Amino acid sequence: MDYKNNILETIGNTPLVKINKLAADIPALVLAKYETFNPGNSVKDRMAVKMIEDAEKEGKIKPGGTIIEGTSGNTGMGLALAAIVKGYKMVCVIADKQSKEKIDILRAVGSEVVVCPTDVEPDDPRSYYSTSKRLAEETPNSWYVNQYDNPSNAKAHYESTGPEIWKQTEGKVTHFVVGVGTGGTISGVGKYLKEQNPDVKVWGIDTYGSVFKKYHETGIFDEKEIYPYVTEGIGEDILPKNVDFSIIDGFTKVTDKDAAVYTQKLAKEEGMFLGNSAGAAMKGLLQLKKHFTKDDVVVVLFHDHGSRYVGKMFNDDWMKAQGFLD
Ligand SMILES: Cc1ncc(COP(=O)(O)O)c(C=O)c1O
């Protein structure tokens, strides 16, 4: 018989899928690493399980304990699935700009969800960073995951996502393009690919309102770059330890409108029903067109599933209210 012992064993080994119409103007072969095939419908399942298993090995989490994390939804989903299988309680702290679907989904998989205001400074006691830390201090037998600075995050991608891409492209990958939030995906995959072939170029997708691009180009953490934005999952107002700027060749910024419009285009023109950061990554890849030649193999990673955005980027009333649709 061919079966898995639990749902966590289905994580990884996601397909690479060619992007056709939307990449028609790009001379290279453009392939999507399609992460929605993971059981929590996002790439984050990989690092969620790795972070918990490393914490178990290090004795940071004990049987019956409570896992606490500040999350934009997907990491929470991966952690919640692992918590169910492994017998932990799960508390997710989430910012109120995240879609309602993400909050409902976390509750559906047994998580307690604490919603915090988005438009406050990271060190404000109401922010989701501060609230998660405080809850972890107050809750006995709890462990604060901290995906931003937890090295197991990038390690998960170094050990699984990176090797899969290398193997699936038979070592022919020349460029890796991906949205950057905690930095775990770009840093882990990028490090692995560059170790196999130092000529592989690694591009990060950033948003307007985030500090990454300017910091990468100038070394300056410019607070003037920070303002609220709509795009979900990528960009930051902090510098997470998981962003290894040394392995990133460059960033391109994508507007909220373009990210939303390309989220719809991926669904309508490629049949790829994906999240908002996939739209940003697709548009960013098109912005980078001049860097690709006909012999290149460009891999873009798509983080999560469209079902989490049906009230937003897939809702034309919402799109019009934002000024994203004419
Ligand atoms: C939808 C989505 N896209 C992109 C990212 C960024 O990935 P990473 O945190 O590995 O940089 C995240 C992270 O939470 C996400 O949820």
Side-chain angles (χ1 to χ4, degrees):
M1 288 187 281
D2 178 15
Y3 67 91
K4 310 283 185 192
N5 290 304
N6 61 55
I7 196 67
L8 305 183
E9 290 186 2
T10 68
I11 294 171
N13 292 313
T14 53
L16 269 187
V17 186
K18 187 180 173 204
I19 299 177
N20 293 293
K21 293 181 198 138
L22 285 181
D25 286 345
I26 306 263
L29 175 64
V30 180
L31 302 172
K33 181 69 170 158
Y34 211 92
E35 288 296 308
T36 63
F37 282 89
N38 287 305
N41 296 142
S42 97
V43 71
K44 295 282 183 158
D45 291 353
R46 298 174 185 264
M47 48 73 98
V49 173
K50 172 83 180 156
M51 291 191 298
I52 291 180
E53 289 181 348
D54 286 355
E56 286 172 333
K57 279 183 213 142
E58 290 161 24
K60 288 182 182 154
I61 175 112
K62 310 254 164 30
T66 302
I67 299 170
I68 298 178
E69 181 60 328
T71 163
S72 65
N74 291 320
T75 303
M77 179 69 171
L79 290 169
L81 297 184
I84 291 166
V85 171
K86 290 169 174 287
Y88 301 114
K89 288 191 221 80
M90 181 71 219
V91 177
C92 291
V93 183
I94 190 163
D96 59 8
K97 73 173 252 188
Q98 304 297 336
S99 65
K100 183 171 176 305
E101 292 86 336
K102 284 187 184 167
I103 296 170
D104 290 343
I105 288 167
L106 289 173
R107 291 193 172 129
V109 288
S111 238
E112 188 186 320
V113 182
V114 179
V115 183
C116 298
T118 306
D119 298 335
V120 293
E121 302 287 320
D123 52 6
D124 186 298
R126 293 165 300 165
S127 81
Y128 92 118
Y129 306 108
S130 311
T131 307
S132 3
K133 276 188 208 142
R134 179 177 54 77
L135 286 175
E137 279 157 22
E138 289 171 359
T139 312
N141 193 15
S142 68
W143 169 59
Y144 172 46
V145 182
N146 191 5
Q147 59 173 322
Y148 296 93
D149 300 332
N150 186 327
S152 305
N153 173 359
K155 234 182 257 167
H157 298 291
Y158 178 81
E159 289 173 4
S160 74
T161 328
E164 284 175 30
I165 292 170
W166 184 253
K167 202 164 155 226
Q168 286 170 307
T169 59
E170 296 173 345
K172 295 191 182 84
V173 55
T174 56
H175 297 77
F176 180 59
V177 178
V178 67
V180 183
T182 67
T185 316
I186 196 164
S187 305
V189 174
K191 181 167 185 265
Y192 183 85
L193 295 179
K194 286 196 173 197
E195 277 176 11
Q196 311 314 305
N197 175 4
D199 292 335
V200 171
K201 295 280 179 272
V202 174
W203 280 92
I205 307 299
D206 196 14
T207 51
Y208 290 89
S210 155
V211 295
F212 289 145
K213 184 169 189 286
K214 176 145 189 193
Y215 184 79
H216 182 254
E217 287 167 5
T218 63
I220 296 166
F221 180 87
D222 185 354
E223 290 190 350
K224 288 200 283 299
E225 292 283 299
I226 301 170
Y227 50 86
Y229 54 85
V230 174
T231 303
E232 291 188 38
I234 62 170
E236 288 299 340
D237 51 4
I238 54 167
L239 293 175
K241 289 206 182 95
N242 271 307
V243 186
D244 180 353
F245 285 93
S246 70
I247 63 105
I248 300 171
D249 292 285
F251 280 93
T252 184
K253 283 195 184 225
V254 175
T255 65
D256 285 337
K257 177 178 178 176
D258 281 344
V261 167
Y262 272 81
T263 305
Q264 288 203 348
K265 277 181 182 285
L266 277 166
K268 290 184 178 146
E269 295 178 36
E270 299 288 335
M272 295 183 174
F273 186 45
L274 296 161
N276 189 206
S277 66
M282 187 65 227
K283 179 59 170 54
L285 189 150
L286 295 172
Q287 289 171 192
L288 296 169
K289 183 182 159 184
K290 69 171 191 302
H291 295 274
F292 310 135
T293 66
K294 74 172 181 32
D295 297 325
D296 287 338
V297 176
V298 181
V299 173
V300 56
L301 186 141
F302 291 150
H303 279 84
D304 75 343
H305 197 263
S307 57
R308 284 165 200 178
Y309 305 84
V310 287
K312 294 176 97 179
M313 290 77 193
F314 291 110
N315 177 320
D316 283 353
D317 293 332
W318 183 89
M319 288 287 279
K320 278 180 203 147
Q322 299 292 323
F324 294 167
L325 278 189
D326 300 326

